[in-house]
Amino acid sequence: MTKQPLPLTGIRVVDYSHFLAGPFLSRSLAAMGAEVIKVERPTLGDAGRRHGYFTGDHSGYFLQQNMGKEGLCVDLRQKQGVDLMQRLVKSADVFVENYRPGALTKLGLGYDSLSKDNPGLVYCSISAYGQTGPYSSRPGFGLIAEAMSGAMSIIGVPGEPPPLFRMPLADMYTGIHGVAAVCAALYGRHASGRGQHIDLALYDCMVSMHDFAVQAYTMSGGVELPVQTGHDMPDSTVYGIFSAKDGYLVIAAQVDEAWIKLAKLIGGDALAADKRFHHAAGRNANRAEILPLVRDWAMAQESVAACTRALDEAGVPSAPIQTIDQVVNDPQIAARGMIVEQDHPVLGKIRLPNLPFNFSDSEPLAPRVAPELGQHNHKIAADLGFSKAEIDAMVANGTLYSA
C-alpha cells in the first residue's frame, strides 16, 4: 500500500518567534509535514542561539527547537525587509509569533494588517499573559507563568522554597496547545474560507493544567487549599517516591486493586486481607501505618532494580527515577526513536530529543538540521519572485543578512 503524505504537507508556516514556545510549536508542525520558514533578525538572530548547552558556537537548545526549518534573516527596519516579509506571509497558511502584544502591529505585521492581504491566514500569537487583560503588557517567560499559576506552590517539601521544575512546562505546554489550535483553525478554514487570530497565554495554559488543585479549592468553597506535600500525596496513598539502597523509585498503588497486590508483596496475606486498607479513605486515614511498611520493604531490597522487578512481577505500577544518561540509553526510548541523530555540517553527528508523533500511514520525516542564520535567504527570496539583482541589492544594503 502506498503511504500517504504527512498530514500537514503543503502547509506553509512563517515562524517569527524566539526562544521556546513558538519555535517548539513550529518545529512540531514541521514534523507533521509543514514547510516552516524560520525568520530571524540581524545580527544575532533568535535569542535561543545564545542559550546553552553549547558545542563550539552552536546551541543545542536552538538546534533542537528549530530542526526541520529553512532560515531567513531579514532586517524589518528597512522598507524592503517589510515588503519581503509581507510577501512571504501572503504566501503562507500560518504565522507564529511570540512578541509582546502590539509589538508587531507597529511593523505592519499584526493580524489585522496581514489578514487583509491573506484572509485565510492562521495567525498564532503567544505571550506571557495574552492579548487582553490587566497584565497583557507585562513581559514574561515560562518561569513567570509557572510561579503565577500556583503550580510552584504545591511542589516541593513543606516549609522549603518551591524548587524549579528544570523542564519548561509552561513553554512546551503552550507550544503544544498552539499545535492543536493551529490545526483546528486550518480545519475550520475549509468551511469558512477564513483563518483567524489565535491568542495563547503561558499563564492561561499553566492554569488549565491543574487537574485537582483548582477544583479542590472552588468545590470546597475555599476550604481546601492545596499545599506542598513533599514526596507523596496524602490523598492518594500509596502514590509517591521511595528510597532504595542505590537510588529512588516511584510506586503508584493508590487504587484498590494495586494496593492489595502491593500489600501481599510487602506484608503477605495478612496485610492484603486487612479491610481497613481496602478503600482509598481507609488507606489515607492510616497512611502513618502504611508508608513505613512500604519504605522498609524498599530499603530491604538489594537495589532499585530489585524493587521494580518484584513490583512488576506482582503487577504493581512502579518505575526507577532515571537519570538523563539512563533515559538516553533506555532501550524503550531507542525502540520508539525518541533520540534523533543528525549530520551537522560543522559538529558532525549530533543526537537530540525527537518528537512523539507517529502516524500509521505516513513515513516520518528525517528532519533537516536547524538552519544557520540566514542560510536560505537567496532561495526564499527567489521563490517569492525577487530577481537576482534585487536579492543582491538587499544583501548589499543589509536587508538580508547571513552569518
Side-chain angles (χ1 to χ4, degrees), residues 3 21 40 69 81 83 88-89 105 108 115 119 123 125 134 154 172 191 230 256 272 284 359 365 378:
K3 293 282 188 179
E40 301 177 75
K69 308 176 187 180
D83 177 46
L88 176 62
V89 176
T105 301
S115 63
Y123 188 112
S125 294
I154 58 175
M172 302 294 256
D256 297 344
N284 292 338
F359 299 98
L365 292 172
H378 286 74

Side-chain angles (χ1 to χ4, degrees), residues 343-358:
D343 290 311
H344 191 278
V346 176
L347 303 178
K349 296 282 186 186
I350 58 174
R351 300 174 72 208
L352 298 166
N354 206 349
L355 291 171
F357 310 127
N358 296 286

Side-chain angles (χ1 to χ4, degrees), residues 73-106:
C73 186
V74 58
D75 189 347
L76 296 180
R77 296 170 299 179
Q78 302 199 43
K79 184 178 181 303
Q80 285 176 303
V82 174
D83 177 46
L84 187 152
M85 186 68 157
Q86 289 175 336
R87 198 182 300 189
L88 176 62
V89 176
K90 190 174 181 178
S91 75
D93 300 283
V94 179
F95 182 79
V96 179
E97 62 92 9
N98 61 350
Y99 289 89
R100 203 180 302 188
L104 295 192
T105 301
K106 298 173 184 177

Side-chain angles (χ1 to χ4, degrees), residues 8 10-16 22 25-30 33-39 69-70 88-89 91-97 121-122 182 186:
L8 295 183
I11 296 295
R12 171 174 276 191
V13 178
V14 175
D15 173 15
Y16 192 51
L25 189 170
S26 60
R27 178 203 170 185
S28 297
L29 298 178
E35 173 197 8
V36 179
I37 297 173
K38 170 81 175 179
V39 182
K69 308 176 187 180
E70 293 185 323
L88 176 62
V89 176
S91 75
D93 300 283
V94 179
F95 182 79
V96 179
E97 62 92 9
L121 182 68
V122 174
V182 165
L186 288 171

Side-chain angles (χ1 to χ4, degrees), residues 26-367:
S26 60
R27 178 203 170 185
S28 297
L29 298 178
M32 296 179 184
E35 173 197 8
V36 179
I37 297 173
K38 170 81 175 179
V39 182
E40 301 177 75
R41 299 178 295 179
T43 56
L44 297 176
D46 183 341
R49 289 185 181 273
R50 299 179 296 286
H51 195 71
Y53 180 83
F54 290 99
T55 298
D57 294 331
H58 287 83
S59 158
Y61 183 96
F62 181 87
L63 290 171
Q64 178 178 333
Q65 303 306 334
N66 293 282
M67 65 175 69
K69 308 176 187 180
E70 293 185 323
L72 173 69
C73 186
V74 58
D75 189 347
L76 296 180
R77 296 170 299 179
Q78 302 199 43
K79 184 178 181 303
Q80 285 176 303
V82 174
D83 177 46
L84 187 152
M85 186 68 157
Q86 289 175 336
R87 198 182 300 189
L88 176 62
V89 176
K90 190 174 181 178
S91 75
D93 300 283
V94 179
F95 182 79
V96 179
E97 62 92 9
N98 61 350
Y99 289 89
R100 203 180 302 188
L104 295 192
T105 301
K106 298 173 184 177
L107 294 172
L109 297 175
Y111 174 70
D112 290 342
S113 176
L114 294 179
S115 63
K116 287 179 182 177
D117 289 332
N118 185 355
L121 182 68
V122 174
Y123 188 112
C124 186
S125 294
I126 298 173
S127 59
Y129 296 103
Q131 305 294 306
T132 59
Y135 302 164
S136 61
S137 63
R138 292 185 185 177
F141 292 93
L143 177 66
I144 307 302
E146 289 155 10
M148 289 286 291
S149 70
M152 279 189 173
S153 75
I154 58 175
I155 63 169
V157 176
E160 295 185 5
L164 291 173
F165 286 111
R166 289 302 304 272
M167 291 181 76
L169 295 186
D171 286 293
M172 302 294 256
Y173 196 59
T174 303
I176 206 64
H177 271 306
V179 173
V182 165
C183 289
L186 288 171
Y187 181 79
R189 190 176 69 172
H190 283 289
S192 68
R194 293 191 59 81
Q196 51 188 308
H197 188 190
I198 298 165
D199 173 11
L200 281 172
L202 301 179
Y203 188 18
D204 293 350
C205 290
M206 282 300 300
V207 171
S208 78
M209 192 184 288
H210 283 296
D211 69 322
F212 172 80
V214 171
Q215 59 175 270
Y217 178 76
T218 59
M219 295 181 73
S220 70
V223 174
E224 290 288 337
L225 183 63
V227 295
Q228 295 167 306
T229 63
H231 301 129
D232 70 344
M233 295 176 64
D235 294 327
S236 296
T237 308
V238 173
Y239 187 92
I241 301 167
F242 297 88
S243 298
K245 288 178 178 175
D246 63 345
Y248 306 96
L249 69 151
V250 295
I251 301 175
Q254 78 282 20
V255 297
D256 297 344
E257 296 85 353
W259 159 253
I260 291 172
K261 293 174 182 177
L262 176 62
K264 189 168 184 178
L265 174 66
I266 68 174
D269 291 338
L271 183 59
D274 193 330
K275 292 185 178 180
R276 292 180 301 157
F277 308 144
H278 282 190
H279 301 286
R283 290 192 296 278
N284 292 338
N286 293 281
R287 55 191 271 102
E289 182 177 344
I290 290 174
L291 291 178
L293 296 175
V294 182
R295 292 177 185 136
D296 290 347
W297 175 85
M299 284 301 296
Q301 310 309 303
E302 293 181 356
S303 61
V304 168
C307 290
T308 56
R309 186 164 53 248
L311 290 162
D312 283 347
E313 290 172 357
V316 179
S318 70
I321 295 181
Q322 296 197 126
T323 54
I324 297 302
D325 58 326
Q326 292 172 317
V327 174
V328 170
N329 293 292
D330 190 326
Q332 179 68 16
I333 291 301
R336 300 288 293 175
M338 282 306 300
I339 301 294
V340 62
E341 186 172 272
Q342 296 181 307
D343 290 311
H344 191 278
V346 176
L347 303 178
K349 296 282 186 186
I350 58 174
R351 300 174 72 208
L352 298 166
N354 206 349
L355 291 171
F357 310 127
N358 296 286
F359 299 98
S360 66
D361 202 30
S362 300
E363 291 289 350
L365 292 172

